[in-house]
């Protein structure tokens, strides 16, 4: 875990410095295209050991609908610019600040909003030992989650009864099989858009 700590702090700092021009451009675009509201979307999420922290993203929705936890592709609350940011995961770049602060890691379970941790059974709460991540094995499997939810009749029910339990299972598997090189593999696969081997996700 020492390597993970060093990697997270070093590359989050480097990433923020290198991406300054990109971040500035996105800030300007949000100000121009979505002037009614803040540039950043800040929301309380569940972190390591169940502790709350504030997660930062670029705002991609209309202000009055930013607080809803389940997102579905094609929703009116997602602005055209926001849809582009979300498609290329650019809305998540501010999470590098969370990694630098130590709230998050590059790799781990995606941080849930308060309430979902309460649904974890006693044996599943082991995943709260992990820092939440920008990406992770469950994120790779459900990289097109919003499109998947758009195809079902009741997105919230499908998320709560199918996707959420499957993510918990995958994240438990990640915890029990963790290695630094697995983290590197997940980061590389995230960048190139490749899925993890099916054997790992079972």
């Amino acid at each position: 875990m020492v390597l993970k700590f060093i990697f997270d702090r070093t590359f989050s700092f480097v990433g923020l410095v290198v991406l300054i021009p990109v971040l500035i451009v996105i800030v300007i675009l949000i100000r121009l295209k979505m002037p009614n509201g803040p540039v950043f979307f800040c929301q309380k999420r569940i972190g390591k050991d169940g502790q709350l922290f504030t997660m930062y993203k670029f705002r991609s929705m209309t202000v009055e609908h930013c607080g809803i936890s389940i997102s579905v592709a094609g929703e009116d609350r997602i602005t055209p610019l926001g849809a582009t940011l979300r498609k290329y995961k650019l809305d998540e770049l501010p999470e590098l600040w969370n990694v630098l602060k130590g709230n998050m890691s590059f790799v781990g379970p995606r941080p849930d909003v308060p309430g979902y941790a309460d649904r974890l059974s006693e044996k599943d709460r082991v995943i709260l030992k992990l820092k939440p991540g920008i990406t992770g094995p469950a994120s790779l499997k459900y990289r097109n989650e919003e499109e998947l939810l758009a195809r079902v009749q009741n997105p919230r029910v499908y998320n709560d009864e199918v996707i959420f339990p499957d993510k918990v299972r995958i994240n438990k598997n990640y915890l029990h099989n963790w290695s630094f090189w697995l983290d590197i593999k997940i980061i590389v696969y995230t960048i190139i858009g490749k899925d993890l081997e099916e054997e790992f996700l079972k």
Side-chain angles (χ1 to χ4, degrees):
M1 286 292 183
V2 175
L3 276 176
K4 186 180 181 75
F5 174 84
I6 295 173
F7 180 90
D8 284 343
R9 295 301 175 89
T10 301
F11 284 93
S12 59
F13 177 77
V14 172
L16 285 169
V17 172
V18 171
L19 292 171
I20 283 177
V22 176
L23 298 174
I24 291 174
V25 169
I26 294 175
V27 168
I28 293 172
L29 286 173
I30 292 175
R31 274 288 171 226
L32 292 174
K33 300 293 186 179
M34 299 187 288
N36 299 321
V39 169
F40 297 100
F41 172 60
C42 308
Q43 188 179 52
K44 292 294 183 182
R45 297 290 180 100
I46 300 296
K48 188 177 185 296
D49 300 322
Q51 298 298 309
L52 283 175
F53 73 98
T54 301
M55 189 182 77
Y56 303 97
K57 301 176 73 172
F58 282 124
R59 183 168 64 89
S60 60
M61 299 183 181
T62 56
V63 176
E64 61 271 21
H65 293 297
C66 278
I68 303 172
S69 59
I70 303 299
S71 301
V72 179
E75 288 182 289
D76 291 339
R77 63 188 178 128
I78 301 175
T79 68
L81 173 60
T84 300
L85 295 176
R86 294 166 79 94
K87 178 180 179 180
Y88 297 103
K89 308 299 182 185
L90 296 174
D91 61 317
E92 298 183 6
L93 289 180
E95 291 170 36
L96 290 170
W97 176 245
N98 285 116
V99 177
L100 184 62
K101 288 176 63 179
N103 302 135
M104 293 177 64
S105 174
F106 274 102
V107 182
R110 286 297 295 166
D112 285 314
V113 295
Y116 274 92
D118 298 333
R119 304 184 186 192
L120 295 172
S121 66
E122 194 63 34
K123 64 179 182 179
D124 290 339
R125 293 185 69 82
V126 66
I127 65 173
L128 296 178
K129 292 181 178 180
L130 294 164
K131 279 186 182 181
I134 294 178
T135 187
S139 300
L140 284 177
K141 179 174 181 179
Y142 290 102
R143 62 162 52 88
N144 297 319
E145 181 177 333
E146 292 185 0
E147 289 76 11
L148 174 62
L149 290 174
R151 295 196 294 268
V152 300
Q153 186 172 7
N154 192 322
R156 182 172 294 277
V157 170
Y158 190 83
N159 176 77
D160 293 352
E161 296 182 359
V162 178
I163 295 179
F164 179 71
D166 194 38
K167 287 182 177 179
V168 171
R169 177 187 61 79
I170 293 171
N171 288 325
K172 283 173 64 180
N173 196 12
Y174 166 73
L175 173 64
H176 296 314
N177 293 280
W178 178 84
S179 72
F180 178 70
W181 298 113
L182 175 59
D183 275 6
I184 298 300
K185 183 177 184 178
I186 290 171
I187 291 170
V188 171
Y189 278 25
T190 299
I191 294 171
I192 65 176
K194 183 178 179 181
D195 294 329
L196 279 176
E197 289 79 2
E198 195 65 30
E199 291 75 15
F200 181 83
L201 298 175
K202 288 181 180 178

